Amino acid sequence: MGDGAGETLIDEHVLEFPGGYKRSVGPVVGRFLTGLRDQQLVGVRTPAGRVLVPPAEYDPETSAAVGERPEDFVPVGPEGVVTTWAWVREPRPKHPLDRPFAWALIRLDGADTGMLHALDAGTEDAVHTGMRVRPRWRAERVGHITDIECFEPA
Amino acid sequence: MTDVAVVAFAQSKHVAADPNRNEVEMLMPVVAEALEQAGLEREEIGFVCSGSCDYLLGVPFSFVTALDAIGAWPPIRESHVEQDAAWALYEAWVRLQHGDVDTALVYGFGKSSLGDLHEIMTLQLDPYYLEPLWPDMVSMAALQARAYLDATGKTERDLAEVVVRSRAAAASNPNAIVAGTTTADALLKEQTTIAPLRTSDCPPITDGAAVVILATADRARAISERPAWIRGIDHRIEAHSIGVRDLATSRSTALAAGRAGAADDKVDLAEMHAQFSHEELIVRDALGLDDSATVNPSGGPLAANPVMATGLIRIGEAASRISAGGGDRAVAHASSGPCLQHNLVAVLEGE
């Protein structure tokens, strides 16, 4: 620091790929994210009959490919049940809500797995495992997991 | 199989933040101490492998810079894993099976104090369903803690008891940064941060490094009076999505423990890479330990958690106790990924 003792030197440094950086989400994840734009929740059925929500391109038990046939995709929700949760007393700036909220794994109706999202329940006492919840949609939706603003008690 | 043993282990004096030393400066004395323990010169090491995470320092290929702590001229045979150095030890163990080299040096290091660790760990999550929501490291752990409490009927008091025992054990560990006498009642008075977890259920932010030296059969016996032989080592991984797993158990730990032979004989002590209090209970169940085994005699990650070295330290701590005659058979566990996604189990024995 030398002569500038006490003075913090800050340099902004932005690193960008020329032309931007794009990822393809593929036919399975993409199907789910695209559905969110229309307030549609979709799961994918594994060969063993388990419905994964959010969908994955493979069966977590057997690694078998899933979602290769149109009939493998099934509508789920919109309501679901909380399978586990955590109460955030002081949200971080990047958290989905700026007031105390719960993280919850939510098993949507018709699904066999849990999806992580925020649950706007007001107080910790209002949250319990097994409670029913429903999505609160954003007015503007772009095909992103955050098209669901959060879940709320049903 | 070529017999491989841990013949030396050294670790830094861990601190919450070490602003005055970079990674190389933090590592150098630890490397020197391990080599001295083993009575080896740098040039005698047949293979070097490290574990670290570029995201902690915030620059790509920071692990290459860290090689200055070893010295890479004349050229050395070297590798790196972007993971806890327990997996670097696994790679070194595999390398030693080739039989053309008989020693390996494994190191892990991390300065968690440089950034916001709880959000840096969010960047390891899938970028479509999880990372955009920014669930931090403690939030993810808390979801697993609740699932465990719900499934077992255990309570936050059971978690606090883990912390009490950890801190008591850490009192005799000069490298611990959280240690001392406390009670479950005192801990439960503390407010939850992300319920059901309290700050006391979480690992401290820690800067530190560790080094393990491995050697094969005759070389190990020449170096150490009582080498800690790796009798079994295995690692298994589960699906990334926590929503497809049974969070109350750790199937991958149980599988790795079975393949490593953890339950084939009596276990005197176990060092577990349980960063959160509930993880110790889940891993303990998965390892099939009975009450006779001493758990985390070092205090474990709740006492000091130099990320990327913490898992390697479990193996080093277990091996040191075997070599010092503090037990005949130990199990060491390391973990990686959210909510115990990926687990490694090593069985260490004296002769």
Side-chain angles (χ1 to χ4, degrees), chain A residues 55 84 89 92 95 103 114 129, chain B residues 116 129 136 139 143 150 192 243:
Chain A
T84 186
R89 192 176 303 282
R92 289 169 163 263
H95 280 167
W103 293 108
T129 303
Chain B
D116 184 340
Y129 300 142
D136 58 279
S139 293
L143 286 163
D150 281 349
T192 56

Side-chain angles (χ1 to χ4, degrees), chain A residues 120-140:
Chain A
D120 189 11
T123 63
E124 184 175 356
D125 291 346
V127 188
H128 60 270
T129 303
M131 76 183 286
R132 291 194 62 78
V133 295
R134 63 173 170 240
R136 181 189 298 160
W137 296 97
R138 267 185 220 286
E140 292 210 4

Side-chain angles (χ1 to χ4, degrees), chain A residues 23 25 29 32 50 54-55 60-61 84-87 89 92 94-96 103 105 113-114 116-117 124 129 144-146, chain B residues 116 118-119 127-130 132-136 139 142-143 146-147 150 191-195 239 243-244 247 251:
Chain A
R23 261 193 304 238
V25 289
V29 175
F32 176 82
R50 198 173 177 218
E61 290 298 317
T84 186
W85 56 283
W87 184 253
R89 192 176 303 282
R92 289 169 163 263
K94 285 176 176 159
H95 280 167
W103 293 108
L105 275 184
T113 63
L116 180 75
H117 221 294
E124 184 175 356
T129 303
H144 206 257
I145 190 69
T146 49
Chain B
D116 184 340
H118 294 182
E119 286 189 357
Y128 311 113
Y129 300 142
L130 296 176
L133 301 170
W134 282 97
D136 58 279
S139 293
L143 286 163
R146 174 92 55 199
D150 281 349
Q191 208 174 42
T192 56
T193 43
I194 298 187
V244 306
L247 292 176
R251 285 169 65 192

Side-chain angles (χ1 to χ4, degrees), chain A residues 44-52 59 66 69 74 110-112:
Chain A
V44 66
R45 197 183 299 277
T46 68
R50 198 173 177 218
V51 175
L52 308 176
D59 182 338
V66 294
R69 302 173 306 169
V74 291
D112 295 303

